[in-house]
Amino acid sequence: QSQLVESGGGLVQPGGSLRLSCAASGFTLDYYAITWFRQAPGKEREGVSCISSSDHTTYYADSVKGRFTISRDNAKNTVYLQMNSLKPEDTAVYRCAAERLVQGCNSHSGPGYDYWGQGTQVTVSS
């Protein structure tokens, strides 16, 4: 069964860090761009970062630029989201999605993604 599984969420104090993982099983991520989304209660889903399959081009939403870093390790079939200087407004369920793309990556929340993870909760609170 092909799937994405996120891990690494939890409760952290403001200013703290977390590293989320998005691991693929049943297929290889080599040909897929990966996007991290988040959704807080009562808010729309937001694409916060993505990374391309080929040249590892990255994108960051303005809300996380300079604080989050996306990376991928194709040998481990995993994509990471390093989140530093976390703020209470970063609290959300974070999900990763895979889209088979030759180049580039997308941050839109519409259709077109081939696989979705189930999500991991990130709570930033003192």
Side-chain angles (χ1 to χ4, degrees), residues 30-112:
D30 290 12
Y31 308 109
Y32 290 83
I34 301 298
T35 303
W36 280 100
F37 293 91
R38 68 184 181 187
Q39 188 166 20
K43 294 189 176 181
E44 292 188 356
R45 182 185 298 157
E46 174 189 17
V48 297
S49 183
C50 67
I51 186 167
S52 68
S53 61
S54 52
D55 59 1
H56 296 188
T57 300
T58 59
Y59 158 84
Y60 299 95
D62 288 342
S63 57
V64 306
K65 200 171 293 182
R67 300 187 298 121
F68 289 12
T69 303
I70 191 170
S71 62
R72 63 191 300 155
D73 185 341
N74 285 353
K76 294 184 177 180
N77 224 21
T78 301
V79 171
Y80 304 98
L81 186 67
Q82 178 67 44
M83 306 187 298
N84 298 329
S85 303
L86 283 162
K87 304 174 181 180
E89 52 263 43
D90 294 318
T91 295
V93 174
Y94 285 71
R95 298 178 70 188
C96 60
E99 182 179 15
R100 187 162 180 133
L101 282 176
V102 174
Q103 62 182 16
C105 62
N106 290 312
S107 62
H108 67 81
S109 59

